[in-house]
């Protein structure tokens, strides 16, 4: 079968190629550039816990060491500290984008199932019931034949335009002046959000500045700019740097080395469709967001994680329209909800003045909203749940509640794998298999050979073996909110399908079949349905 064609060699496209390769699906990545990204410290990304874990699982690189894992977070308003947070291993990771793509390219260098075609700019797409053809121009210009094509080619996506997919939304929702510099600040490896700093109390915008640490004593500083299109001159940027550093220290500007500068403009847009036959969109080609501290790359990586196992199943087992359709349904709903939340919060947080500014506690409430986006919490930042997914099973008699809602990402508990080793649950994701997790207190203190043939294990093992898709049986001592002998069914991308009270083979089979979108469509049925 033909490989999957991935258009775009940014973090989302490269992540998708690696995720497909882990499930034995070949791909061709069409890179319109030379195969190496320009080093820009003013162009960085913040990765939440789940997306950082995804990249570590795919690349083998400790992402937190390549970037900077925040030791803490604080927010200030004028001279008052509004909130302080200390982190453990779940801290957000701040990393330069060229370092991230370099790690992904290094992981792909020895991958036999992935071919990266550099200097290959997409020029045309032709679809047929059995596949898709892409035409590229440039030194390597040629025709490429694929089973599916995924556009990961950014905000100005050629794939989206060739498929005539509308991309409505708002332009320049927020603008920031950006500077990357090396200096010493009064705090170490902590991110800071400073609203209305005391040295900026007049003008069209009282100001907001964010400081995020990078490795080797570097920092990225972002200043929220007032509405409009005023030119950000080098003189203005240097003035902002000097007054900000002086305000954070003893009143005099400490030594600093300016490494890079830029202007970051946030747009909010959402593609009408994410699928057109065998062509799909992911990342910035499908959505743009980023106001109030939210970051679009997290959502792009979640797109890749959601899509990879579905494409892999269709590639290995034949067309499965309901499963592929669910990609758009699930991911578009999550991003749309995040955009709505940001758009509703923007007037409240950026309007300024009015009675709201005099209401007791309003500043703290505003800070809590901003923190959600920056820290990856709440409606502005937490990973989305697929509660209303078309893949969700219906009417399971044995379903029970645990602390993880159906459709949400599961907790990363320690589990015993089939070979008897102890691993984190997250390490078993992304292999294309369903995961069945039995909660069995006490098993952690005994060798697996003593309990694998005892109690309910043989019956559960037989039920797992009979499922309509390969599944791995795991055992955990405990899971948040789960009673002993609870059985969890988990998707390959780590979202909970259902929790069952005990071994219920019929319910387990029905839930697994629903997760796959129902019975697999035959090639003949798919061809007939597309006419």
């Amino acid at each position: 079968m033909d490989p999957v064609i991935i258009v775009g060699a940014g973090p989302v496209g490269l992540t998708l190629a690696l995720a497909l390769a882990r499930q034995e699906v070949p791909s061709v990545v069409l890179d319109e550039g030379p195969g190496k990204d320009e080093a820009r410290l003013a162009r960085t990304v913040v990765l939440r816990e789940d997306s950082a874990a995804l990249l570590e699982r795919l690349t083998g690189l400790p992402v937190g060491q390549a970037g900077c894992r925040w030791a803490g977070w604080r927010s200030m308003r004028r001279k008052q500290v509004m909130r302080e947070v200390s982190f453990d291993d779940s801290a957000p990771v701040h990393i330069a984008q060229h370092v991230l793509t370099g790690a992904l390219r290094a992981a792909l260098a020895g991958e036999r199932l992935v071919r990266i075609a550099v200097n290959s700019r997409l020029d045309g797409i032709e679809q047929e019931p059995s596949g898709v053809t892409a035409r590229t121009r440039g030194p390597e210009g040629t025709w490429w034949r694929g089973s599916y094509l995924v556009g990961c080619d950014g905000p100005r996506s050629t794939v989206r335009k060739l498929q005539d997919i509308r991309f409505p939304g708002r332009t320049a929702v927020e603008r920031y002046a950006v500077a990357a510099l090396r200096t010493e600040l009064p705090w170490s490896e902590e991110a800071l959000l400073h609203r209305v700093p005391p040295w900026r109390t007049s003008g069209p915008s009282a100001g907001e500045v964010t400081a995020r640490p990078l490795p080797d004593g570097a920092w990225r500083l972002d200043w929220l700019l007032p509405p409009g299109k005023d030119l950000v001159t080098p003189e203005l940027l240097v003035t902002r740097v000097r007054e900000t550093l002086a305000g954070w220290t003893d009143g005099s500007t400490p030594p600093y080395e300016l490494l890079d500068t830029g202007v970051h403009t946030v747009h909010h847009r959402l593609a009408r469709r994410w699928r057109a036959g065998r062509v799909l969109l992911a990342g910035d080609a499908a959505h743009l967001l980023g106001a109030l501290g939210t970051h679009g790359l997290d959502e792009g990586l979640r797109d890749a994680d959601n899509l990879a196992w579905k494409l892999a199943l269709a590639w290995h087992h034949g067309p499965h329209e309901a499963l592929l359709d669910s990609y758009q349904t699930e991911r578009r709903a999550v991003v749309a909800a995040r955009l709505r939340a940001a758009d509703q919060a923007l007037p409240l947080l950026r309007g300024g003045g009015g009675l709201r500014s005099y209401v007791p506690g309003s500043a703290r409430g505003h800070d809590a909203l901003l923190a959600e986006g920056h820290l990856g919490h709440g409606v502005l930042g937490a990973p989305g749940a697929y509660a209303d997914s078309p893949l969700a099973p219906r009417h399971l008699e044995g379903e029970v509640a645990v602390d993880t809602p159906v459709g949400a990402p599961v907790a990363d508990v320690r589990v015993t794998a089939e070979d008897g080793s102890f691993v984190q649950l997250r390490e078993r994701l992304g292999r294309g298999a369903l995961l069945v997790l039995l909660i069995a207190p006490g098993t952690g203190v005994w060798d697996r050979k003593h309990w694998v043939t005892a109690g309910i294990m043989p019956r559960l093992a037989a039920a797992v073996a009979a499922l309509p898709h390969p599944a791995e049986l795991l055992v955990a001592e405990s899971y948040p909110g789960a009673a002993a002998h609870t059985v969890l069914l988990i998707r390959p991308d780590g979202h909970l399908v259902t929790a069952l009270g005990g071994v219920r083979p019929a319910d387990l089979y029905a839930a697994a079949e629903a997760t796959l979108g129902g019975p697999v469509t035959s090639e003949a049925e798919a061809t007939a349905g597309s006419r």
Side-chain angles (χ1 to χ4, degrees):
M1 191 169 177
D2 294 318
V4 173
I5 299 173
I6 299 171
V7 182
V12 175
L14 298 176
T15 297
L16 179 59
L18 267 178
L20 289 172
R22 296 294 183 268
Q23 297 170 67
E24 296 297 316
V25 177
S27 63
V28 173
V29 180
L30 303 183
D31 183 357
E32 71 175 40
K36 185 177 181 180
D37 297 301
E38 180 186 5
R40 290 289 310 277
L41 284 180
R43 191 178 186 190
T44 62
V45 295
V46 177
L47 303 173
R48 316 299 175 207
E49 182 184 4
D50 64 309
S51 51
L54 168 65
L55 292 169
E56 289 185 352
R57 188 169 71 242
L58 290 174
T59 65
L61 172 75
V63 174
Q65 295 178 17
C68 181
R69 195 178 288 276
W70 297 350
W73 157 274
R74 71 177 66 187
S75 59
M76 297 178 64
R77 180 178 172 82
R78 297 189 174 94
K79 296 182 179 181
Q80 181 184 4
V81 175
M82 305 292 291
R83 182 171 182 172
E84 289 186 274
V85 178
S86 295
F87 291 114
D88 51 20
D89 292 340
S90 64
V93 175
H94 187 210
I95 185 171
Q97 185 163 318
H98 71 272
V99 173
L100 177 58
T101 54
L104 288 164
R105 289 182 187 276
L108 286 166
E111 180 52 66
R112 62 181 177 81
L113 291 175
V114 180
R115 176 181 177 182
I116 299 180
V118 300
N119 299 314
S120 297
R121 183 179 180 83
L122 183 69
D123 194 39
I125 298 173
E126 294 182 6
Q127 284 200 65
E128 303 170 10
S130 60
V132 60
T133 303
R135 183 178 69 248
T136 57
R137 59 186 180 188
E140 304 295 325
T142 187
W143 290 88
W144 303 87
R145 180 68 179 173
S147 52
Y148 296 90
L149 184 146
V150 185
C152 304
D153 49 342
R156 297 180 176 85
S157 172
T158 301
V159 174
R160 189 184 64 241
K161 293 172 183 175
L162 288 173
Q163 297 303 300
D164 196 24
I165 296 174
R166 293 184 59 202
F167 199 38
R170 299 172 59 197
T171 299
V173 177
E174 291 185 331
R175 281 202 317 151
Y176 295 85
V178 181
L181 49 89
R182 186 172 285 112
T183 190
E184 286 191 21
L185 294 179
W187 55 91
S188 177
E189 297 185 349
E190 289 187 2
L192 170 71
L193 170 66
H194 200 161
R195 304 183 69 209
V196 198
W199 59 88
R200 290 190 59 80
T201 57
S202 62
S205 172
E208 176 181 301
V209 58
T210 306
R212 303 183 183 95
L214 285 164
D216 303 322
W219 294 81
R220 170 173 165 168
L221 273 57
D222 291 60
W223 293 269
L224 178 65
L225 296 171
K229 299 181 180 180
D230 294 342
L231 184 65
V232 180
T233 64
E235 293 77 16
L236 173 64
L237 202 50
V238 169
T239 298
R240 290 286 177 97
V241 169
R242 294 180 64 84
E243 70 179 10
T244 300
L245 295 183
W248 284 339
T249 53
D250 58 1
S252 60
T253 303
Y256 69 92
E257 178 187 1
L258 191 59
L259 304 172
D260 193 16
T261 62
V263 175
H264 174 54
T265 303
V266 176
H267 309 289
H268 278 182
R269 295 188 178 278
L270 186 64
R272 293 287 192 196
R273 294 179 294 143
W274 291 26
R275 183 186 179 201
R278 290 179 174 267
V279 176
L280 303 104
L281 302 176
D284 286 352
H287 50 76
L288 294 175
L289 68 167
L292 305 178
T294 59
H295 292 270
L297 181 58
D298 267 323
E299 296 300 348
L301 296 175
R302 291 165 187 158
D303 292 346
D305 199 23
N306 182 292
L307 180 57
W309 71 273
K310 298 173 180 179
L311 273 179
L313 192 147
W315 194 89
H316 286 295
H317 302 289
H320 211 316
E321 300 306 301
L323 187 64
L324 293 178
D325 283 342
S326 73
Y327 163 67
Q328 171 179 304
T329 305
E330 291 177 345
R331 293 298 307 147
R332 193 178 187 279
V334 165
V335 176
R338 184 143 300 161
L339 286 171
R340 282 195 301 272
D343 285 343
Q344 290 167 2
L346 271 167
L348 179 68
L349 295 171
R350 304 303 191 212
L355 291 175
R356 287 194 185 100
S357 61
Y358 298 99
V359 176
S362 63
R364 194 164 296 278
H366 293 178
D367 177 76
L369 272 174
L370 280 169
E372 284 189 353
H374 283 275
L375 300 180
H377 299 158
V379 293
L380 287 177
Y386 308 137
D388 299 322
S389 168
L391 305 182
R394 306 288 189 264
H395 312 302
L396 299 177
E397 293 183 2
E399 193 164 40
V400 296
V402 296
D403 286 358
T404 302
V406 169
V410 292
D412 188 27
V413 298
R414 191 179 82 149
V415 300
T416 305
E418 291 183 342
D419 62 2
S421 62
F422 292 106
V423 297
Q424 291 302 120
L425 178 57
R426 231 178 227 145
E427 294 178 27
R428 314 308 290 182
L429 301 176
R431 303 178 180 210
L434 298 171
L435 301 181
V436 178
L437 177 62
L438 170 67
I439 312 307
T443 50
V445 300
W446 297 98
D447 191 286
R448 189 174 188 273
K449 66 183 180 182
H450 296 304
W451 50 260
V452 71
T453 58
I456 65 173
M457 280 296 292
R459 186 163 175 247
L460 179 57
V464 171
L467 292 179
H469 188 71
E472 182 179 7
L473 176 56
L474 306 169
V475 179
E477 281 268 349
S478 63
Y479 187 89
H485 296 168
T486 299
V487 176
L488 277 63
L489 180 63
I490 302 165
R491 298 176 6 163
D493 58 356
H495 288 253
L496 180 66
V497 176
T498 189
L500 301 173
V503 180
R504 296 176 173 268
D507 281 351
L508 192 61
Y509 189 97
E513 190 172 60
T515 302
L516 306 176
V520 177
T521 306
S522 71
E523 186 80 38
E525 290 172 328
T527 302
S530 65
R531 290 173 182 165

